[in-house]
Amino acid sequence: MTAIPTDYHGLVSEKIILLNRFVGLFLLGFGVFLGVSVLAADVTVDPDYSARTCSTGLLGAWAAYLLRYTLGTLPALLFCAGLFLWGVRVTQKRDFWSTWPKVAGIMLSITSFSVLLECTIQTDGNPLVGGLLGLEVTPPGLMYFGRAGLFGACLMGLVGGGILVFGGTVGAVWNAACAVCNAVAALCDKGARALTRGLWSSLVEMNRRRAE
């Protein structure tokens, strides 16, 4: 039976880390590419024609066309930002699979945002606002939940997605804010005690002088 080298597992771990870094950098770069495409491409004309003036070429023109008509313009930009942040997260953590809850949060936020735009803005069937996603989901959502209920559900989806994406960051910010508040409260308490002692000493001294 062939013996496994002692450094075998270390080499495998290094290769996995390098692979995760490569995937993270690819996602990061692809997010930037899509973001530039969404901003640069003219989706009101045929993508083949838009590619002549689009800075990211034919691929960018078609990607912008699909993203903006599927999700809407602002949700498409949110998708690109989410893809960029996903790449940054994978590169930092060096673990692709552990980032999937954040991906689920990004998708939930994008879907909720598309429906929210379609629910609150009179688009007259324009897919560039909430996308075809918003146009398809909003009518049954309004029928079952009403405008107020659908609006609340979209807000809950945005908040839930934000918690999945930024849960650790939100917790860290909250802990830091609590620590600052506690420090300020302790400082105020010390100051109040010192002021009280000073006033009490002054009153005692005044009474002593009057007694003399």
Side-chain angles (χ1 to χ4, degrees):
M1 184 176 180
T2 305
I4 298 177
T6 55
D7 60 344
Y8 173 78
H9 296 291
L11 292 174
V12 171
S13 299
E14 289 181 1
K15 290 181 178 180
I16 292 175
I17 290 173
L18 289 175
L19 178 61
N20 286 320
R21 283 181 175 175
F22 173 79
V23 172
L25 291 174
F26 172 79
L27 292 172
L28 189 153
F30 194 50
V32 173
F33 174 82
L34 291 180
V36 173
S37 301
V38 169
L39 293 173
D42 182 7
V43 297
T44 60
V45 298
D46 187 87
D48 292 331
Y49 181 80
S50 175
R52 301 177 185 178
T53 57
C54 181
S55 57
T56 51
L58 183 62
L59 179 61
W62 271 104
Y65 183 86
L66 293 174
L67 282 175
R68 290 183 65 181
Y69 275 97
T70 302
L71 302 174
T73 301
L74 291 179
L77 290 174
L78 180 62
F79 173 81
C80 298
L83 198 62
F84 176 85
L85 293 176
W86 186 19
V88 172
R89 189 65 176 175
V90 172
T91 304
Q92 290 178 340
K93 289 183 68 67
R94 305 173 187 175
D95 187 1
F96 176 76
W97 298 108
S98 65
T99 59
W100 277 105
K102 298 186 181 298
V103 178
I106 292 172
M107 300 309 297
L108 179 60
S109 298
I110 292 171
T111 303
S112 301
F113 192 30
S114 295
V115 178
L116 181 64
L117 290 175
E118 188 64 33
C119 175
T120 55
I121 300 176
Q122 297 295 330
T123 63
D124 296 326
N126 182 8
L128 293 180
V129 178
L132 295 175
L133 176 63
L135 288 174
E136 291 295 328
V137 175
T138 301
L142 290 174
M143 182 176 65
Y144 285 105
F145 300 105
R147 190 169 298 276
L150 184 60
F151 184 82
C154 291
L155 288 182
M156 289 178 61
L158 285 172
V159 172
I163 291 174
L164 286 173
V165 176
F166 301 107
T169 304
V170 172
V173 172
W174 176 259
N175 292 333
C178 290
V180 171
C181 291
N182 291 332
V184 172
L187 184 62
C188 292
D189 182 65
K190 289 182 179 178
R193 289 175 182 271
L195 181 61
T196 302
R197 285 196 297 268
L199 291 174
W200 180 256
S201 299
S202 299
L203 290 173
V204 170
E205 183 66 19
M206 290 174 60
N207 291 330
R208 186 181 64 80
R209 289 180 180 180
R210 286 179 182 178
E212 292 177 352

